[in-house]
Amino acid sequence: MISDEIKRFHDELPQGVELVAVSKFHPCESIMEAYNAGQRIFGESRVQEFLAKIPQLPADIEWHFIGHLQTNKVKMLVGKTAMIQSVDSLRLLKLIDDESRKAGVTTRCLVQVHVAQEETKFGFSPEELIEYFESRGFESLTNTQICGVMGMASNTDDEARIRADFKQIADTFKTIRDNESLGLQGFEVISMGMSGDYHIAIEEGSTHIRVGTTIFGNRNY
Ligand SMILES: *Cc1c(COP(=O)(O)O)cnc(C)c1O
């Protein structure tokens, strides 16, 4: 049962770890079941699907966008999310900032760190990201707040490898956060951990786990 899973997460998650319920490919009824069990943060990964769902669901849902965002869809998304977690290029970041300025809103974002061996090519390497902050690239943003990092571990059964990936994401975050000369405000989120590996992610410092399958069951693509 969706509601049982939500309650279990709310009971078991340590202080300081938020659950993002990943509802992509699942219908509004399933989202409502989770909502009625007390869940408020939901994650979606496709713009069209997300935009179709919002008007059908309660306004106090905090929507996190977690999928690869094509630049031509930024405009449709800006102003509708609590957070865009999947900012994977400087071009995208600049565009989000431009569109947010035009819309008169501030968009909260995470920058995606790429450490996994395979899968997505999307995201910044840890070196690129640290270099971006150290060169103070973020200072030119007027309507975007970078709240932290998002990442994924390698898709493998090798627990040591998964743990090493999460550690690298968390270390990248800490290197940036602990650089006091940057004067970053509100840089506090490490979004990592999915259905198969969130236990390890929490041990390695995750503040936001993104869980779909464990809550909603398998997706029918
Ligand atoms: C789909 C997705 C998830 C959830 O994955 P599950 O294995 O179903 O928990 C988490 N993060 C991202 C970026 C996703 O696209």
Side-chain angles (χ1 to χ4, degrees):
M1 284 276 286
I2 292 170
S3 55
D4 293 337
E5 287 299 329
I6 294 295
K7 288 189 185 118
R8 188 178 65 77
F9 273 104
H10 289 183
D11 286 345
E12 291 177 7
L13 284 184
Q15 273 271 311
V17 181
E18 299 279 355
L19 172 66
V20 179
V22 177
S23 49
K24 64 188 186 199
F25 293 93
H26 291 287
C28 291
E29 298 78 68
S30 299
I31 297 176
M32 275 316 295
E33 196 176 332
Y35 180 91
N36 288 330
Q39 181 63 22
R40 290 296 177 272
I41 310 178
F42 290 87
E44 287 281 338
S45 63
R46 299 187 305 172
V47 174
Q48 244 83 19
E49 178 183 347
F50 168 61
L51 294 178
K53 280 175 174 173
I54 322 177
Q56 305 182 53
L57 291 159
D60 65 342
I61 287 182
E62 241 189 67
W63 292 106
H64 287 217
F65 191 81
I66 62 170
H68 173 61
L69 178 55
Q70 291 166 289
T71 48
N72 62 343
K73 297 196 174 145
V74 169
K75 195 177 176 157
M76 294 184 250
L77 203 60
V78 155
K80 301 204 163 66
T81 59
M83 193 176 276
I84 300 177
Q85 293 204 0
S86 43
V87 179
D88 55 14
S89 73
L90 289 181
R91 179 160 172 255
L92 181 59
L93 184 58
K94 167 110 176 43
L95 204 63
I96 290 171
D97 196 51
D98 289 344
E99 291 298 339
S100 301
R101 193 177 316 107
K102 283 186 212 159
V105 299
T106 295
T107 302
R108 288 156 56 80
C109 290
L110 302 181
V111 277
Q112 188 170 345
V113 195
H114 175 62
V115 297
Q117 284 159 320
E118 61 311 287
E119 294 112 292
T120 170
K121 302 164 293 301
F122 299 124
F124 300 87
S125 71
E127 296 75 26
E128 271 178 312
L129 204 57
I130 291 165
E131 154 67 19
Y132 172 72
F133 281 95
E134 285 178 351
S135 67
R136 299 177 170 273
F138 62 91
E139 287 182 345
S140 65
L141 303 171
T142 61
N143 289 61
T144 308
Q145 157 130 44
I146 305 179
C147 301
V149 304
M150 182 270 240
M152 275 173 247
S154 302
N155 186 12
T156 169
D157 291 333
D158 177 359
E159 193 180 314
R161 172 76 215 189
I162 294 170
R163 190 176 293 282
D165 286 347
F166 285 145
K167 187 170 184 332
Q168 203 184 358
I169 295 165
D171 284 348
T172 305
F173 167 84
K174 286 177 202 154
T175 300
I176 296 165
R177 182 198 59 190
D178 294 345
N179 185 340
E180 285 176 17
S181 72
L182 298 179
L184 284 173
Q185 302 290 323
F187 190 80
E188 55 202 21
V189 174
I190 306 179
S191 170
M192 59 185 190
M194 318 195 335
S195 289
D197 56 19
Y198 68 86
H199 290 106
I200 306 172
I202 292 169
E203 286 168 11
E204 296 303 327
S206 176
T207 67
H208 287 62
I209 58 170
R210 308 180 307 270
V211 180
T213 309
T214 300
I215 297 168
F216 296 109
N218 289 324
R219 290 178 283 272
N220 295 314
Y221 292 104

